Amino acid sequence: MQKTKRAPVLKPKADPRLSDAEQFLLPTYKRQPFVFTHGRGAYVYDSTGKKYLDFLGGIAVNALGHAHPRIVKVIRREAARAIHLSNLYHNAYQGPLARKLVEISGMDRVFFSNSGAEAADGALKFARLCARTASDAPDKPGAKHRILAMQNSFHGRTFGGVSVTFPEKYRLPFAPLLPGVEFVRFNDIADLESKFDDTVCAVIFETIQGEGGIHPATEAFWNRARSLTTQHGALLIADEIQCGLGRTGRYFAYQKFSSKPDIVLIAKPLAAGLPLGAILASEAVASRLSPGLHGTTFGGGPLVCATALEFLSVIDQKKLLENVRARSAELREGLAKLASKFDFIREIRGEGLILGIEVSVDGNPFAAEALRQGLIINCTHDFTLRLLPPFIITRAQVREFLRLFELVLAKTPKSISAAPAQNAANPPRFAHSAAR
Ligand SMILES: Cc1ncc(COP(=O)(O)O)c(C=O)c1O
């Protein structure tokens, strides 16, 4: 058993690894001044031995928690066989993993990438490819090349990914970006309709917006996006990189709707922490691809694919989708009680184990206080506290979370910064009624 000492947070100068990081890393992240060294289940430990309950899971990655014995065993076994072989040859696990993903998603074919952004980027390429006709000049934009993305979206940091990501801070410093992208107000059917015509080749959105503050797509919006894309011969691309692969208590968030997208993007938890993403596509999309049109050196190697097969097998055998639903109900009940106690909680949103707690004061100090209390959560969009715990959490850990979180809500100094703007993706406060 690990020691559970709750020691004070290290000062930056005390650990040479921190000064190395400060001196030699590109300054792309604002990191906390301590070093996490290892994890076990739903807990992470820092170099002083301090224990943290991890309700962020490496931002939706560690769905089986840390050091899951079955995952460790497969990684050890496969590392001793072949870590990498090359996509010029078959390996033992890529085909079986593609079959399993097709079975659980209802899609037809799979391309493996290394990350979510790379999957999103590939999907945008596929959309352009599918829309291209013989009458399009090969060196000019095709007649059908526009892409509709959503306000409040996040799809990753590649050029394609940032081009369809809404916040200007991620996008504008790198302009000019992918041409032909327009943003629609999320869940606003009239806005979607007004921007739609035959020049659109794809609509891309997160089935539940994650970085944007946990905003689920409405059924009406999904249905209209599906009917418009079908009518105009465009692709509907569902980004399930954060909300997919079991996080909602279903394998895919879109499975509560009656129709499927043409492309689904997944990544984060797929290989239980190893880098692996995928584009799941319909047969119609697949029919436009041929050898050489798209590729990757690392994507879909034997080590990551074997690990992903084990991840999906653990979910099945341990009935983790049921656990996600049961723990979610307990969490929501506890959060609703906290919302009636703390009036700065405006709304609780999300489904399964992707939950957002919107506050009317600056949310960032809550995440900092949570760390002091030995709890990992994060704050996204300044006003939404985000919970992405592992699928293996127990009822006792939900109770532990609620106890720690109440302490955090009570102790955090509240700074009255501007309240979040209200728009279609961020409606005025209503009862704590978001879908489960
Ligand atoms: C919805 C969504 N799409 C795409 C990405 C990008 O994935 P990655 O960081 O693996 O490139 C993320 C990452 O947070 C995401 O949440």
Side-chain angles (χ1 to χ4, degrees):
M1 283 294 289
Q2 298 294 330
K3 275 172 64 185
T4 62
K5 191 172 108 192
R6 293 200 190 271
V9 166
L10 269 182
K11 295 243 164 38
K13 291 278 178 313
D15 188 325
R17 294 168 293 191
L18 296 173
S19 44
D20 282 352
E22 196 174 315
Q23 189 177 350
F24 297 114
L25 289 176
L26 281 169
T28 55
Y29 283 95
K30 206 156 54 177
R31 293 184 171 92
Q32 297 296 327
F34 53 84
V35 177
F36 281 139
T37 53
H38 62 286
R40 175 111 12 219
Y43 297 96
V44 180
Y45 300 81
D46 73 18
S47 56
T48 71
K50 180 174 171 177
K51 180 183 184 185
Y52 301 78
L53 178 62
D54 185 0
F55 258 52
L56 186 60
I59 319 186
V61 170
N62 301 313
L64 298 185
H66 299 272
H68 191 284
R70 284 181 55 178
I71 295 298
V72 171
K73 192 171 167 198
V74 168
I75 291 176
R76 285 209 171 112
R77 186 191 71 208
E78 294 306 319
R81 287 182 176 163
I83 295 173
H84 174 76
L85 289 167
S86 167
N87 280 315
L88 295 178
Y89 312 98
H90 288 291
N91 70 53
Y93 304 108
Q94 204 177 112
L97 177 59
R99 165 190 277 277
K100 178 72 185 168
L101 290 171
V102 161
E103 283 167 3
I104 61 175
S105 67
M107 304 302 289
D108 298 316
R109 287 183 184 261
V110 181
F111 175 87
F112 290 108
S113 65
N114 303 286
S115 68
E118 195 192 323
D121 219 76
L124 299 177
K125 284 173 69 182
F126 294 176
R128 289 272 172 84
L129 178 75
C130 289
R132 195 160 268 282
T133 65
S135 58
D136 288 325
D139 57 342
K140 300 233 162 56
K144 189 178 189 63
H145 75 280
R146 286 172 60 229
I147 294 165
L148 299 183
M150 299 298 136
Q151 292 188 7
N152 213 37
S153 60
F154 185 85
H155 298 286
R157 309 297 194 132
T158 58
F159 254 102
V162 285
S163 296
V164 288
T165 288
F166 183 67
E168 293 187 342
K169 64 179 178 182
Y170 298 134
R171 216 165 16 103
L172 296 191
F174 307 103
L177 300 168
L178 207 64
V181 174
E182 253 181 275
F183 290 95
V184 170
R185 277 192 299 277
F186 191 43
N187 283 333
D188 184 333
I189 291 175
D191 197 32
L192 180 68
E193 286 170 341
S194 74
K195 289 175 175 143
F196 224 111
D197 61 26
D198 279 339
T199 64
V200 171
C201 70
V203 175
I204 180 167
F205 59 87
E206 297 150 85
T207 319
I208 300 175
Q209 288 188 331
E211 300 303 301
I214 319 298
H215 294 279
T218 63
E219 185 167 14
F221 189 76
W222 175 275
N223 289 342
R224 193 65 187 122
R226 180 64 283 179
S227 64
L228 283 166
T229 43
T230 304
Q231 183 189 334
H232 291 276
L235 299 184
L236 177 58
I237 303 171
D239 182 339
E240 298 232 353
I241 288 164
Q242 190 162 143
C243 65
L245 290 172
R247 189 153 288 283
T248 55
R250 299 176 297 282
Y251 270 115
F252 293 92
Y254 65 80
Q255 287 169 332
K256 73 174 175 187
F257 303 133
S258 57
S259 53
K260 283 186 299 195
D262 302 291
I263 287 183
V264 183
L265 309 177
I266 52 174
K268 291 189 179 275
L270 178 55
L274 293 178
L276 180 65
I279 302 171
L280 316 183
S282 67
E283 200 61 60
V285 173
S287 70
R288 295 297 300 262
L289 282 146
S290 55
L293 268 175
H294 195 57
T296 163
T297 295
F298 288 117
L303 174 70
V304 285
C305 287
T307 309
L309 274 167
E310 192 68 0
F311 165 67
L312 293 170
S313 160
V314 172
I315 290 197
D316 269 353
Q317 288 169 7
K318 298 290 171 191
K319 299 195 175 1
L320 289 184
L321 298 186
E322 283 170 30
N323 195 56
V324 167
R325 294 193 291 269
R327 302 292 81 83
S328 175
E330 291 160 9
L331 262 173
R332 293 191 67 111
E333 198 184 316
L335 289 171
K337 282 192 192 136
L338 293 178
S340 56
K341 190 162 170 188
F342 296 99
D343 65 0
F344 54 83
I345 296 183
R346 292 181 79 233
E347 189 179 12
I348 295 160
R349 292 186 292 266
E351 281 195 80
L353 295 179
I354 174 166
L355 296 172
I357 300 133
E358 186 173 307
V359 291
S360 56
V361 292
D362 184 1
N364 294 294
F366 292 93
E369 178 60 29
L371 279 179
R372 278 190 284 279
Q373 299 299 334
L375 173 65
I376 307 177
I377 58 172
N378 99 321
C379 171
T380 185
H381 247 227
D382 292 335
F383 296 97
T384 304
L385 307 179
R386 179 168 49 165
L387 310 182
L388 296 160
F391 303 172
I392 51 152
I393 48 161
T394 61
R395 182 184 291 222
Q397 285 162 345
V398 167
R399 280 201 297 265
E400 182 184 357
F401 164 80
L402 289 167
R403 185 180 55 73
L404 286 171
F405 191 54
E406 178 163 6
L407 211 62
V408 169
L409 294 173
K411 285 187 106 171
T412 304
K414 318 295 177 299
S415 78
I416 323 272
S417 51
Q422 290 177 3
N423 56 36
N426 182 19
R429 182 182 174 132
F430 51 83
H432 302 285
S433 62
R436 281 204 180 158

